[in-house]
Amino acid sequence: MRSLPIYSAGLRFLQRLGYSLLQATLFGAILGLLVYYRVPRAQLSEDATPIALLARPSAWLQSWERGTYDWRARSLGGRSSRSDRVVVVALDDETLAEARQDDHPGIASNPWPREILGGLSNRLVDEGAELVLLDFPFTERSPRACLAQGTPGLEGLDDDQVFRKLLDRHPEKSLLAFSWSLDRGIPAGSRLWPYRVRLGTYPNEAQARGRLQSVLADQRPAFLIPTGNALEVWAGVASEQEGREVAQAQGVREPPKVQERRVTDDTHRVGPLELFVSLAEVQVEGLDVAQLEEVRQLEHPVAPLLGKASLYGASTVVPEPDGVVRAVPHLVSYRSREGARHVLPSMPLMAAMRLANTRQLRYADGRLYVGDRFSIPMDESGYSLVRWDAAEVGRGSRGSVSRAIPAWNVLLNLFAVREGVPPRAVHDIEGRLIVFTNTSRQGMHYEHTPIGEYTPSGAVLAQSLVNLLQSEGITRATPRMDLLLTLGLAFIGAFVALTFNRGLRSFGDVLMYLSAMTAVGLLYAGAAWYVFVNKLLWVAMMGPLLAMGLTFIFTIVQASRSERQLRHFITDVLGRYVSPEVARLVTRDLRLLTRPERREVTVFFCDLVGFSRLSKELSPERLIQLLNDYLTEMTDVVRGTRGQVDKYIGDAVMAFWGAPVRTERHAHHACEAALKVRAVLSERQAYWEKTYGHHLQCRIGIDSGEVLVGGMGSDFESKYSVMGESVKLSMFLESLNRGYGTFVLVGDGAARLAQDSYVFREVDRVRLKGRTEPTRLHELVGRKGEISPQVQEQLALYEQALTAYHQRRFDEALALFTQGAETYQDAVAGVYAERCRKFASAAPPEDWDGVFALEGQ
């Protein structure tokens, strides 16, 4: 016997299955890499990148992920409370409609004079606003050439000057917007200024800014030229005479110094852009400025509006490739002509810095800290995801914050105060921050966000400011965490596939797999939703789910293929007609085949009666057809009782129960198979007689005992089989049926094991060759509870006769056996009647024990 071929074959199949699992998890590694590599925002819209092969599929995966993000963002918004810390004041359609019907000068048409905007800003501060964020573009000089109207103390100044003066009344209470673009703009043409005039000397740039701003407001080039330890401010002029006039207008008391411009002067030229950058830039500790979005063009307030009394912040929000705004860029970088990088803040961030009274920022562990008061999650590129406080934007101007006030209501209060009457409305804005924005149809300042397609851009800034003031926002999981989750879900997908895999043999199997997979997927999606809503953590959803799904499908296919190969292997080892249930159990545990051992089993041997005669009378074709038909019926019976067909020996069938799948009822199964064989013969007899012209009958021998089970054969071919005394005894019992006229003879071991469910009668006590102890032979009569009264009477008579026989009362036994043979046609009783006649004429020796000695064993 050789078990090595079976073990090697089983090991090969296990290796294939492991290899399938390894291949399946490769999906997790690939998708995990795509999740790990997050395409930089600067590359999202580019057609080609240095690693385009990775960037493009990663961008696709991120686009699917963003869809799940929007769903989670809306869920979080639906469970949040709108904040009243930030209030939107909206220049809406209602305000413009009221203004067109009003008789106050300058407001009937849009845009309003900047004098009005400055007055509204002051009015909001007077009503208690802590800071006013003016979300309006001031990139050009005011189109209103008229002088101030209605503002006390500012008569004679133009619109821009009035606006600046109004904002200066409340230092650092106003925040002006600027915008930026990633595209480089076309520089404006410049006039030739052949002379320059010196307007003052200052110890540092900060103190020189006021003079620079006044020069730039006059739309002249300004130069900041170092001299020793000081800085001189010069203005470009067309002539020496103009230089003296400019010096006088600028309030220079000493005789002005006018010189011709030199070529080197342009290196010290300060334009509105340079002045603006110096006013708006902030300092960040712990952040690599090179990682920030580098802007190419700045659209800042015009020079007359630049002043130290106001703050400056970017109002630009950038939609992602699908057109949805999910994050606000709080920090961007701008490279000056000299190559120096300057960091510029967003409007919400600058407002938070004003409240924290700091211009210093610190970045650490994925959060931006504003002094010691505020912090917010931010990635290294300067973007912070917006945490929405509403599930949908709804109508109006407030977006996801609690309140929005029409600008018309504030304007009425402004006019009332100017006219010396009490304000008409109380707005309850004490200590609040105001986002003053244009939400009219003319402004068209709307963004597509996760909570709605038409979210006012000012409302986006307001919500972002709320996030900063509450020091909370959405944190995106690290790429490493998303990678591990993707790999983990890939392994789970493979595990679920292998756990539930049964080979896709039915629609029920497919439904079970899909249900299991759906349950696991929903469980993970629910967990990702939970940590988003409750922990404000965005973990990847699509990547892990896709990895799990692909791994699941791939593993199912591979496992099904391996299982089919394994079934072929098991069929080769156990035989073609192995029971499906046995094959399934063996598939789960190949050790059932690969481990030779001694085990108690029940062996079944069935032989066709008169096969030699059939061989002579039927043609070879008809004989094979009959034999196949008969053996198929016998095999179906064995399989139906969880048995294992060992081999076919011509017309004989050898089977066993109790291996490779262990069972304590192996004897019961064998007895049940014998009774079913009898039933099949009865059912099919008419067909066989009609088709082949012969009556078929078989005899069966059954015995239970300890045998050796395992793979037996050569290195080239091996078969799972049994070997032992019970095998030989079952074959011998089958042959003894002819002498006793019985259908099924059962060994003593099998009869004892199955006697609780089946009825047996003792046929004989024989001494087998090589054994000293006698062996009892039994006939299987039927199942308990199914024995007819006539058979019960026959068994009672037979038992009475057998008792008399063993007590040497041969005359009495002869009469009883004869009665049984004649009345019930009992062949076994006839055998004993013949023995009794012999013993009546020649009594057995005194030491006779009733054991019959078999001849020719």
Side-chain angles (χ1 to χ4, degrees):
M1 176 173 57
R2 298 173 182 264
S3 62
L4 181 60
I6 295 178
Y7 178 79
S8 300
L11 184 60
R12 286 196 299 271
F13 283 110
L14 290 177
Q15 289 174 340
R16 291 176 186 173
L17 201 57
Y19 182 66
S20 298
L21 182 60
L22 182 62
Q23 284 183 309
T25 55
L26 185 62
F27 280 111
I30 294 174
L31 287 168
L33 184 61
L34 296 180
V35 169
Y36 183 84
Y37 174 70
R38 296 174 183 171
V39 181
R41 290 180 179 271
Q43 297 179 0
L44 283 175
S45 59
E46 296 181 9
D47 294 333
T49 68
I51 45 176
L53 291 178
L54 187 60
R56 190 175 297 276
S58 179
W60 290 338
L61 188 60
Q62 287 188 37
S63 67
W64 299 335
E65 178 67 25
R66 287 191 288 266
T68 70
Y69 173 87
D70 294 347
W71 164 62
R72 286 176 276 182
R74 289 190 293 271
S75 297
L76 174 59
R79 289 162 175 76
S80 303
S81 299
R82 297 176 185 261
S83 173
D84 193 37
R85 185 74 172 86
V86 178
V87 178
V88 173
V89 171
L91 184 62
D92 53 11
D93 292 323
E94 176 188 350
T95 296
L96 294 179
E98 293 286 352
R100 284 192 292 270
Q101 301 177 16
D102 193 80
D103 56 0
H104 286 86
I107 65 171
S109 60
N110 193 32
W112 285 351
R114 290 177 183 171
E115 175 190 0
I116 296 295
L117 297 180
L120 287 174
S121 177
N122 281 351
R123 182 64 235 160
L124 291 168
V125 173
D126 292 338
E127 292 186 14
E130 194 164 356
L131 183 65
V132 178
L133 288 71
L134 292 116
D135 180 27
F136 293 92
F138 300 113
T139 56
E140 302 289 342
R141 293 294 299 266
S142 172
R144 303 281 180 168
C146 58
L147 300 180
Q149 303 180 38
T151 304
L154 299 179
E155 295 81 359
L157 300 178
D158 64 26
D159 198 25
D160 285 330
Q161 292 173 329
V162 172
F163 183 54
R164 183 67 264 166
K165 293 293 186 181
L166 288 172
L167 298 183
D168 289 345
R169 290 181 177 180
H170 299 286
E172 295 193 349
K173 289 288 187 177
S174 60
L175 202 165
L176 301 184
F178 70 90
S179 61
W180 49 262
S181 171
L182 299 176
D183 299 323
R184 192 178 298 279
I186 301 176
S190 60
R191 171 186 170 190
L192 292 177
W193 304 91
Y195 295 92
R196 56 184 171 89
V197 59
R198 186 176 63 184
L199 301 179
T201 303
Y202 301 90
N204 53 57
E205 183 178 348
Q207 295 188 22
R209 284 177 184 169
R211 181 69 72 181
L212 290 171
Q213 190 272 340
S214 65
V215 174
L216 295 173
D218 198 26
Q219 296 185 333
R220 296 178 180 274
F223 305 91
L224 192 63
I225 301 176
T227 174
N229 296 327
L231 295 170
E232 293 181 344
V233 175
W234 295 71
V237 292
S239 64
E240 294 183 359
Q241 177 63 31
E242 187 180 55
R244 288 189 289 270
E245 293 174 357
V246 169
Q248 183 178 2
Q250 289 284 336
V252 178
R253 296 179 180 179
E254 60 188 38
K257 183 177 181 180
V258 181
Q259 296 180 347
E260 290 186 359
R261 280 186 58 188
R262 294 171 294 187
V263 176
T264 58
D265 287 348
D266 283 341
T267 60
H268 305 291
R269 180 171 177 170
V270 179
L273 177 61
E274 288 77 12
L275 178 60
F276 165 74
V277 170
S278 68
L279 291 172
E281 70 174 328
V282 296
Q283 303 298 320
V284 186
E285 175 188 346
L287 181 67
D288 183 5
V289 178
Q291 299 294 323
L292 296 176
E293 194 97 80
E294 183 175 345
V295 301
R296 305 294 181 85
Q297 183 177 2
L298 294 174
E299 297 288 339
H300 57 81
V302 293
L305 303 185
L306 299 178
K308 293 186 291 185
S310 292
L311 305 172
Y312 303 91
S315 60
T316 304
V317 291
V318 182
E320 298 188 23
D322 59 355
V324 180
V325 172
R326 298 180 179 87
V328 169
H330 283 310
L331 294 173
V332 295
S333 70
Y334 174 75
R335 192 190 300 268
S336 65
R337 289 180 300 177
E338 295 78 14
R341 289 183 181 271
H342 303 273
V343 179
L344 304 177
S346 67
M347 290 189 80
L349 179 58
M350 180 52 76
M353 295 173 67
R354 164 64 180 80
L355 295 185
N357 195 28
T358 182
R359 295 297 289 265
Q360 297 291 324
L361 301 170
R362 181 171 59 88
Y363 184 75
D365 301 325
R367 293 188 74 89
L368 180 66
Y369 293 88
V370 184
D372 297 327
R373 189 171 177 184
F374 308 115
S375 70
I376 194 170
M378 187 185 79
D379 61 27
E380 292 183 348
S381 65
Y383 282 76
S384 288
L385 295 164
V386 179
R387 181 204 186 285
W388 303 99
D389 288 334
E392 57 183 3
V393 64
R395 296 181 179 179
S397 306
R398 63 175 180 163
S400 55
V401 297
S402 179
R403 283 195 296 156
I405 301 173
W408 178 251
N409 294 355
V410 183
L411 189 61
L412 290 179
N413 282 0
L414 174 65
F415 292 152
V417 171
R418 286 184 178 180
E419 295 166 2
V421 298
R424 298 188 180 186
V426 178
H427 296 122
D428 187 23
I429 57 174
E430 181 72 30
R432 289 168 173 77
L433 285 83
I434 305 299
V435 176
F436 188 10
T437 185
N438 187 349
T439 63
S440 67
R441 284 176 291 181
Q442 296 181 15
M444 297 299 290
H445 293 165
Y446 292 94
E447 303 291 345
H448 186 181
T449 67
I451 63 172
E453 294 187 12
Y454 299 100
T455 307
S457 59
V460 176
L461 298 176
Q463 181 64 75
S464 180
L465 178 55
V466 169
N467 294 164
L468 272 162
L469 300 182
Q470 295 178 345
S471 292
E472 63 178 19
I474 306 301
T475 301
R476 186 162 188 182
T478 63
R480 181 182 179 186
M481 178 183 290
D482 284 347
L483 171 62
L484 293 177
L485 287 172
T486 304
L487 290 174
L489 264 290
F491 276 105
I492 290 176
F495 175 77
V496 171
L498 292 175
T499 300
F500 288 88
N501 179 58
R502 283 168 39 197
L504 294 174
R505 291 191 295 269
S506 67
F507 176 76
D509 290 337
V510 175
L511 186 61
M512 180 186 68
Y513 300 152
L514 293 178
S515 298
M517 198 61 196
T518 301
V520 176
L522 290 176
L523 184 63
Y524 177 77
W529 175 89
Y530 176 84
V531 298
F532 188 95
V533 172
N534 294 278
K535 306 298 181 182
L536 302 182
L537 178 63
W538 174 16
V539 298
M541 183 180 293
M542 281 305 302
L545 289 178
L546 192 59
M548 181 177 67
L550 292 176
T551 303
F552 177 83
I553 295 172
F554 186 81
T555 304
I556 281 290
V557 172
Q558 291 297 317
S560 298
R561 182 182 303 170
S562 297
E563 184 174 328
R564 286 195 299 271
Q565 294 173 342
L566 187 56
R567 284 202 204 99
H568 291 320
F569 158 70
I570 292 173
T571 301
D572 291 341
V573 174
L574 296 182
R576 178 181 176 186
Y577 296 104
V578 61
S579 165
E581 183 177 359
V582 171
R584 177 174 55 83
L585 295 174
V586 173
T587 301
R588 292 181 177 179
D589 187 3
L590 282 180
R591 293 175 300 177
L592 296 173
L593 293 180
T594 60
R595 188 175 56 215
E597 62 178 330
R598 294 190 178 276
R599 185 188 298 183
E600 185 179 64
V601 302
T602 297
V603 183
F604 172 104
F605 196 85
C606 177
D607 192 17
L608 191 61
V609 177
F611 182 69
S612 299
R613 178 175 53 84
L614 290 174
S615 301
K616 295 177 182 179
E617 296 179 0
L618 292 176
S619 66
E621 293 79 5
R622 299 283 288 170
L623 180 64
I624 294 301
Q625 184 179 359
L626 170 61
L627 190 59
N628 287 341
D629 196 2
Y630 164 76
L631 292 178
T632 298
E633 295 290 346
M634 299 302 104
T635 301
D636 286 344
V637 169
V638 173
R639 291 178 60 187
T641 54
R642 303 181 183 180
Q644 172 61 40
V645 174
D646 185 288
K647 60 177 68 71
Y648 302 109
I649 309 172
D651 61 313
V653 178
M654 176 180 167
F656 54 88
W657 286 259
V661 180
R662 190 182 298 274
T663 175
E664 299 298 327
R665 297 181 61 83
H666 48 84
H668 296 71
H669 294 319
C671 292
E672 184 66 24
L675 295 178
K676 287 186 175 181
V677 166
R678 179 186 291 173
V680 167
L681 289 174
S682 177
E683 292 173 2
R684 300 281 290 174
Q685 204 61 246
Y687 167 78
W688 284 328
E689 289 182 359
K690 179 180 179 181
T691 304
Y692 303 106
H694 289 277
H695 181 88
L696 300 186
Q697 184 63 37
C698 66
R699 293 186 291 262
I700 299 172
I702 299 174
D703 188 53
S704 299
E706 187 178 86
V707 298
L708 187 62
V709 297
M712 303 177 190
S714 66
D715 290 337
F716 301 100
E717 183 176 358
S718 183
K719 183 96 166 43
Y720 188 83
S721 185
V722 295
M723 182 173 63
E725 289 297 323
S726 291
V727 176
K728 295 191 293 183
L729 184 56
S730 65
M731 298 175 68
F732 186 57
L733 292 175
E734 183 277 323
S735 65
L736 289 180
N737 279 291
R738 182 184 304 176
Y740 293 106
T742 53
F743 177 69
V744 183
L745 280 181
V746 181
D748 194 46
R752 281 188 285 103
L753 290 173
Q755 64 182 352
D756 60 331
S757 300
Y758 297 90
V759 175
F760 303 91
R761 69 168 174 175
E762 182 181 321
V763 173
D764 208 349
R765 301 173 188 178
V766 300
R767 182 171 285 107
L768 300 177
K769 185 177 181 180
R771 296 187 181 183
T772 58
E773 294 296 325
T775 299
R776 292 176 183 263
L777 309 181
H778 304 269
E779 181 187 13
L780 174 61
V781 178
R783 305 177 187 89
K784 279 192 173 181
E786 297 182 6
I787 306 300
S788 66
Q790 182 180 1
V791 174
Q792 292 179 18
E793 292 175 1
Q794 176 187 351
L795 293 179
L797 179 62
Y798 175 82
E799 186 67 27
Q800 183 181 356
L802 190 62
T803 301
Y805 172 79
H806 286 292
Q807 293 178 356
R808 302 173 68 94
R809 294 182 280 118
F810 299 115
D811 292 337
E812 180 183 350
L814 176 58
L816 293 173
F817 280 130
T818 301
Q819 181 182 351
E822 293 176 352
T823 304
Y824 302 105
Q825 287 74 48
D826 187 348
V828 178
V831 171
Y832 274 99
E834 184 61 31
R835 290 184 188 177
C836 290
R837 293 189 184 95
K838 292 181 179 179
F839 288 143
S841 59
E846 292 296 329
D847 59 350
W848 178 76
D849 55 3
V851 176
F852 185 75
L854 295 174
E855 299 178 356
Q857 295 184 56

